[in-house]
Amino acid sequence: MLLSLLALTFIAQTAGLPPPAANPTRSVPAPAKLPPANPLAPPDGSDERAVLATVDKLLGGINTRDAAAIGATLRAAGSATVVTEAESGPATVRTLPWPELLARFQPGPETFDEGISSPAVEIDGDMAMVWAPYVFRLNGKVHHCGTNHVSLVRENGAWKIASLAWTSRTIGCPA
């Protein structure tokens, strides 16, 4: 009797729904890493736009070799970490305090051009993360590539880079 009542209740709750066969299982496996960001630009005034504006200022400073512009995007306490992937052998990990990082961007005859693609932006309150593949060109030629990971915090209404990490490889880079 109890089973009959449960069956009638279930039938009443599912009336009008398509049969289970009409709802196929997901055929695409779940992503193993962060999904690519939405290809549409974030709306003006959004936190995503403000976070990406800080990253754009960082890249602008790199591309013009302007240590002061780069420094303006950085939180006072922080560091950069680079993971260099060798063609053979283990990767090396090196941490650079901000002054050491900034020393790499002094005026000189070479032209720098670092560009990112498909940035994924994640925000939780006053903390944000940008994950994006990049290609670095020296004098117009691909020098190395990898992935940038930028951690940001919002202080006094402004997004600042708390830490910066990237991988660096010379093989498998897009042209």
Side-chain angles (χ1 to χ4, degrees):
M1 174 78 170
L2 182 59
L3 288 176
S4 298
L5 286 174
L6 288 174
L8 288 174
T9 303
F10 179 74
I11 290 169
Q13 290 175 348
T14 59
L17 295 177
N23 297 318
T25 58
R26 183 178 170 158
S27 61
V28 177
K33 60 181 182 178
L34 288 172
N38 187 336
L40 299 175
D44 288 338
S46 69
D47 281 343
E48 290 86 357
R49 176 71 61 116
V51 165
L52 287 173
T54 300
V55 173
D56 287 344
K57 288 177 187 173
L58 168 73
L59 294 172
I62 290 170
N63 293 338
T64 58
R65 300 175 67 147
D66 185 345
I70 296 168
T73 67
L74 306 176
R75 188 169 184 268
S79 64
T81 302
V82 59
V83 179
T84 303
E85 299 174 5
E87 288 186 39
S88 60
T92 59
V93 179
R94 185 168 172 221
T95 300
L96 308 168
W98 289 145
E100 189 175 341
L101 174 73
L102 295 174
R104 302 172 109 190
F105 299 100
Q106 300 304 313
E110 301 90 0
T111 58
F112 292 179
D113 180 20
E114 180 170 339
I116 63 172
S117 60
S118 305
V121 179
E122 297 291 336
I123 299 173
D124 184 12
D126 290 330
M127 179 179 71
M129 185 267 317
V130 175
W131 177 278
Y134 78 90
V135 175
F136 183 89
R137 290 177 173 81
L138 181 64
N139 296 326
K141 295 182 181 176
V142 174
H143 185 265
H144 65 275
C145 64
T147 299
N148 285 333
H149 174 258
V150 185
S151 294
L152 304 97
V153 292
R154 183 171 29 205
E155 293 180 313
N156 302 317
W159 288 101
K160 293 289 188 173
I161 297 171
S163 67
L164 178 62
W166 67 93
T167 56
S168 177
R169 67 183 65 86
T170 57
I171 58 171
C173 297

